[in-house]
Amino acid sequence: MAMAEVVLFHHALGVTAGIEHFADMLRRAHHIVHTPDLFGGRRFDSIAQGMSFIEETGFENLIDGGVHAAEQLSPDVVYAGFSFGAMPAQKLAQTRAGARGALLFYSCAPTAFFGPWPVGLPVQIHGADADPYFVGEGDLEAARELVEQTESAELFLYPGDQHLFADNSLPSYDPAAATLLMKRVLDFLAER
């Protein structure tokens, strides 16, 4: 029997084999996992290429595409996202009534972007402590502010400087960090 339903948004490289593997690991733990493809099947070899596509397509357009994809599902889900995908996940968690939780990987926006954080909504934020994107672009600061604002928020930092460290299809994959991240995610979902 399924324990939680998860909407999992991909990062700037698209729905990689590593994203699918991550989703399959959650499915093996009896969770229902949806992986909307916000890029229409496109895959990129670098974060820079993916970000160029995002900028050309429109950051807000793609986030809205994620919101639209989730609106086809029941509202009582956990929203999760990797890097760029954390933005639609966070927006949905903050604005769509009925959310059961949020999992933000490698990214966190200031809550003011989407309004106040819902009272009691649990969230985990995961990132590498020397990731130039997560640390250098303000995400770590936003994550710490969220943890200070709500008792239901947890921030987990992993040693390293790789951004997409839990995607086993990429050179940035860190098996030790990814294993610990998955354990924490499964513990979180078991309570939803």
Side-chain angles (χ1 to χ4, degrees), residues 8-11 14-25 27 33 35 82 106 166-169:
L8 180 65
F9 295 104
H10 60 80
H11 48 60
V15 182
T16 61
I19 294 288
E20 291 292 359
H21 175 76
F22 192 95
D24 286 342
M25 290 179 70
R27 291 179 183 117
V33 184
T35 54
F82 292 96
Y106 331 128
D167 185 323
N168 73 348
S169 67

Side-chain angles (χ1 to χ4, degrees), residues 8-171:
L8 180 65
F9 295 104
H10 60 80
H11 48 60
L13 303 186
V15 182
T16 61
I19 294 288
E20 291 292 359
H21 175 76
F22 192 95
D24 286 342
M25 290 179 70
L26 298 182
R27 291 179 183 117
R28 283 196 293 276
H30 308 290
H31 302 294
I32 297 168
V33 184
H34 307 275
T35 54
D37 187 341
L38 304 182
F39 292 176
R42 291 174 189 82
R43 306 287 173 272
F44 299 98
D45 295 326
S46 72
I47 292 171
Q49 289 175 349
M51 290 308 296
S52 288
F53 171 77
I54 290 167
E55 289 167 13
E56 289 167 17
T57 307
F59 193 79
E60 289 298 325
N61 291 337
L62 289 166
I63 290 175
D64 289 345
V67 170
H68 179 71
E71 286 173 347
Q72 311 308 308
L73 305 168
S74 168
D76 59 339
V77 299
V78 173
Y79 298 105
F82 292 96
S83 190
F84 159 75
M87 294 303 94
Q90 185 173 342
K91 181 175 183 175
L92 283 157
Q94 287 187 238
T95 62
R96 190 173 187 219
R100 295 178 67 188
L103 294 162
L104 308 177
F105 306 109
Y106 331 128
S107 184
C108 183
T111 56
F113 281 17
F114 307 119
W117 190 262
V119 175
L121 182 67
V123 57
Q124 283 187 348
I125 306 126
H126 300 263
D129 62 4
D131 171 0
Y133 296 100
F134 185 68
V135 176
E137 295 184 359
D139 298 83
L140 176 57
E141 184 178 320
R144 286 183 168 144
E145 287 175 10
L146 180 53
V147 169
E148 288 174 15
Q149 292 171 4
T150 178
E151 293 180 12
S152 57
E154 295 177 287
L155 170 61
F156 296 106
L157 293 174
Y158 303 80
D161 62 0
Q162 295 301 307
H163 187 55
L164 307 176
F165 67 81
D167 185 323
N168 73 348
S169 67
L170 302 175

